[in-house]
Amino acid sequence: MTTQQLIVALVVVAAVGFGLARTIRIIPQATAAIIERLGRYHRTLTPGLNLVVPFIDRVKDMIDLREQVVSFPPQPVITSDNLVVSIDTVIYFQVTNPKAATYEIANFLIGVEQLTVTTLRNVVGGMDLERTLTSREDINTALRGVLDEATGKWGIRVNRVELKAIDPPASIQDSMEKQMRADRDKRAAVLTAEGQRQAAILAAEGEKQASVLRARGEAEAAVLRAQAEAEAQAMRAKGQADAIGMVFKAIHEGRPDQHLLAYQYLQTLPEIAKGDANKIWIVPSEMGKVLENLGGLFTPPKSPDT
């Protein structure tokens, strides 16, 4: 093989290799490729191995089909009460039609951003500052509805719209902080007063219940003491009755004479005198007879001769 033939063979191999390289297209997952044939849209390549006609077909754009997140810079928006607030937005969208996203708009990211700004100004412009700060969900829903409808012809689906931050002017922020601080102090004072009132009510209720329980306890104690005293008196009376019965029985069984009874009578007198209230003694009229009987105890009996 001559040198010229070798060069020709190398050129042919290079041309074939280059043609194969232009013919085979490998598309990654979640990606679509727009193919133009002679300057016109031909077809959309799906993920995997694809074949195209070299030098006739060309890849115009590679479109990412995954959900994308775009954060737009803060935008000044005027509320209905003529206050300028700065709002940051975050858009979650996904390309559903690669052909429309390529040919219906030059740059869909710029289109989504500008549409978001104008829609946000329209929605917030009909709200005052307080409602704007407290109606994030309403604003998100309104933005999503408008954006999803407007971007549908671009082959884009807006999944979510989030307001990342709403920043009012510094002077308004200072006034709002003062108002919030005053409201917190007011609520704290109200809660403190309410707590003190509840504590006073509970203390009074507790004192009332304690008084009732003390009175009930004293009444029950008095009843128990009275019952115990009555039982004690009954037991003492029964004991005295039993003692008297036993003495009476013993006296009758022992057949005492007059002298023994007089002696027992004298022994009882000191017991009667022990009481503190016994200041005056009344000697009975039978005292002389008792003494005579006692005297007879110590006098020897007379003999029959005397």
Side-chain angles (χ1 to χ4, degrees):
M1 182 180 292
T2 63
T3 305
Q4 292 181 350
Q5 292 177 344
L6 181 60
I7 294 174
V8 171
L10 292 176
V11 170
V12 171
V13 171
V16 172
F18 181 74
L20 291 176
R22 297 293 299 269
T23 301
I24 299 174
R25 293 289 182 178
I26 298 177
I27 307 302
Q29 183 66 32
T31 305
I34 302 299
I35 299 298
E36 290 183 347
R37 175 169 291 181
L38 301 177
R40 297 182 61 183
Y41 170 78
H42 177 60
R43 64 192 178 102
T44 302
L45 299 184
T46 57
L49 180 63
N50 296 271
L51 299 177
V52 297
V53 178
F55 307 107
I56 297 177
D57 296 339
R58 74 179 185 91
V59 178
K60 177 176 177 56
D61 286 323
M62 298 288 290
I63 306 299
D64 191 347
L65 301 180
R66 295 173 297 178
E67 184 176 15
Q68 302 182 42
V69 182
V70 179
S71 177
F72 298 135
Q75 299 294 328
V77 180
I78 301 176
T79 61
S80 61
D81 48 359
N82 297 324
L83 292 175
V84 179
V85 295
S86 180
I87 301 179
D88 295 354
T89 54
V90 179
I91 305 296
Y92 298 80
F93 68 93
Q94 187 175 11
V95 176
T96 58
N97 189 342
K99 177 182 177 181
T102 303
Y103 294 105
E104 294 296 333
I105 187 171
N107 190 325
F108 61 83
L109 285 178
I110 296 178
V112 170
E113 179 181 4
Q114 296 302 317
L115 186 60
T116 301
V117 172
T118 55
T119 305
L120 185 63
R121 288 175 179 173
N122 291 333
V123 173
V124 177
M127 300 180 179
D128 56 11
L129 178 61
E130 184 176 358
R131 186 182 173 190
T132 301
L133 295 175
T134 57
S135 302
R136 287 175 176 258
E137 189 63 29
D138 296 339
I139 298 174
N140 293 340
T141 303
L143 281 174
R144 181 181 178 279
V146 173
L147 290 175
D148 195 23
E149 181 180 359
T151 58
K153 64 179 180 179
W154 299 342
I156 297 173
R157 182 179 68 245
V158 177
N159 298 325
R160 282 192 301 168
V161 179
E162 298 291 342
L163 300 184
K164 188 166 61 174
I166 301 177
D167 298 325
S171 59
I172 301 300
Q173 289 184 4
D174 184 61
S175 299
M176 293 173 62
E177 290 177 357
K178 290 181 180 178
Q179 182 179 0
M180 293 176 61
R181 193 179 303 112
D183 290 340
R184 291 194 187 97
D185 294 340
K186 178 181 177 181
R187 288 197 297 268
V190 171
L191 291 176
T192 301
E194 184 67 20
Q196 292 176 353
R197 186 176 73 88
Q198 291 293 336
I201 292 174
L202 292 175
E205 188 69 22
E207 183 63 26
K208 176 184 176 182
Q209 293 180 1
S211 300
V212 171
L213 292 176
R214 282 197 298 269
R216 186 178 299 171
E218 292 175 356
E220 292 177 356
V223 171
L224 293 177
R225 285 196 296 269
Q227 291 178 353
E229 184 64 24
E231 291 178 358
Q233 290 180 0
M235 293 181 66
R236 286 197 296 269
K238 186 177 182 302
Q240 292 176 358
D242 293 342
I244 291 173
M246 292 177 63
V247 172
F248 184 78
K249 181 179 179 181
I251 290 174
H252 280 276
E253 289 178 355
R255 298 179 181 275
D257 55 3
Q258 189 69 22
H259 299 291
L260 179 58
L261 294 175
Y263 179 72
Q264 291 295 331
Y265 182 77
L266 287 178
Q267 285 184 338
T268 307
L269 289 178
E271 297 296 330
I272 297 174
K274 286 182 179 179
D276 296 335
N278 297 333
K279 303 300 182 182
I280 301 176
W281 284 23
I282 299 175
V283 180
S285 59
E286 294 84 357
M287 189 64 182
K289 187 179 292 186
V290 172
L291 293 176
E292 290 179 1
N293 292 331
L294 290 175
L297 292 174
F298 301 101
T299 303
K302 293 181 181 182
S303 62
D305 298 334
T306 58

